């Protein structure tokens, strides 16, 4: 296959995985499982040139939802994000400083969540996967900074052009898979 066409195929497949992950993340509490299923598809795509399918994504998504931590972790992140917004917008004394600190904590937790999603495979338990991802987030700080930058860039792009929210999960998943692979 021509290199140029392979690059376009790769782009299309990453965008397709992003669309699948976005649809599966409609209820925010399923976002970790959706990111994990998407990351497995992207890893298979990069390693074996295996074309992602809806059926494979659905099987991986169901397997990723098999443990309650897959739902509880996003709920915790949403709670921290809500506290951050209330602190910044609520006019609390010291709210801006508290908001910045919570924002940094949230960014670190998001990076750890992306690392966990990239590390998850069927048969692995979420508590162990997320514990390992937390250790990697601290020990591989360069990769974590890269993931935080990817999160910020995708957030800015989505804020400027909301239609990109559909492919944003695929791009973040690709960033997490790339950080894991390096």
């Amino acid at each position: 296959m021509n290199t140029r066409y392979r690059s376009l195929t790769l782009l299309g497949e990453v965008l397709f995985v992003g669309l699948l992950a976005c649809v599966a993340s409609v209820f925010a509490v399923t976002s970790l499982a959706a990111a994990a299923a998407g990351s497995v598809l992207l890893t298979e795509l990069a390693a074996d040139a295996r074309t992602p399918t809806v059926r494979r994504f659905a099987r991986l998504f169901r397997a990723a939802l098999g443990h309650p931590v897959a739902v509880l972790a996003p709920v915790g992140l949403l709670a921290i994000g809500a506290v951050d917004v209330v602190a910044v917008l609520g006019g609390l004394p010291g709210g801006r400083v508290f908001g910045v600190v919570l924002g940094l904590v949230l960014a670190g937790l998001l990076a750890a969540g992306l690392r966990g999603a990239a590390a998850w495979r069927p048969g692995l338990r979420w508590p162990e996967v997320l514990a390992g991802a937390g250790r990697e987030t601290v020990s591989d700080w360069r990769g974590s900074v890269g993931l935080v930058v990817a999160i910020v860039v995708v957030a800015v792009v989505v804020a400027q052009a909301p239609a990109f929210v559909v492919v944003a999960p695929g791009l973040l998943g690709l960033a997490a898979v790339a950080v894991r692979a390096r």
Side-chain angles (χ1 to χ4, degrees):
M1 180 184 282
N2 187 330
T3 306
R4 182 175 4 169
Y5 294 120
R6 178 63 192 142
S7 298
L8 288 175
T9 302
L10 179 63
L11 174 64
E13 289 170 336
V14 168
L15 297 178
F16 176 65
V17 170
L19 175 66
L20 292 174
C22 182
V23 168
S25 297
V26 158
F27 306 107
V29 296
T30 60
S31 59
L32 183 60
S39 293
V40 170
L41 288 180
L42 290 171
T43 300
E44 292 172 352
L45 175 64
D48 306 325
R50 183 175 178 178
T51 301
T53 64
V54 174
R55 180 174 290 152
R56 174 87 173 128
F57 181 85
R59 278 194 306 260
L60 291 167
F61 182 64
R62 271 187 260 117
L65 281 175
H67 196 281
V69 171
V71 174
L72 293 175
V75 169
L77 282 177
L78 288 171
I80 291 171
V83 170
D84 190 22
V85 168
V86 168
V88 172
L89 298 179
L92 298 173
R96 294 245 185 247
V97 174
F98 185 66
V100 169
V101 171
L102 268 182
L104 292 173
V105 168
L106 185 61
L109 289 173
L110 284 170
L114 282 173
R115 282 181 179 272
W120 180 84
R121 296 293 175 270
L124 295 179
R125 293 178 40 83
W126 277 112
E128 291 85 14
V129 170
L130 291 177
R135 286 189 297 274
E136 286 178 12
T137 301
V138 174
S139 65
D140 178 23
W141 62 270
R142 287 182 179 102
S144 299
V145 168
L147 286 174
V148 169
V149 168
I151 291 165
V152 169
V153 167
V154 167
V156 168
V157 168
V158 168
Q160 295 298 316
F164 281 103
V165 74
V166 175
V167 296
L171 299 174
L172 290 175
L174 183 62
V177 168
V179 165
R180 181 168 171 74
R182 71 165 181 75

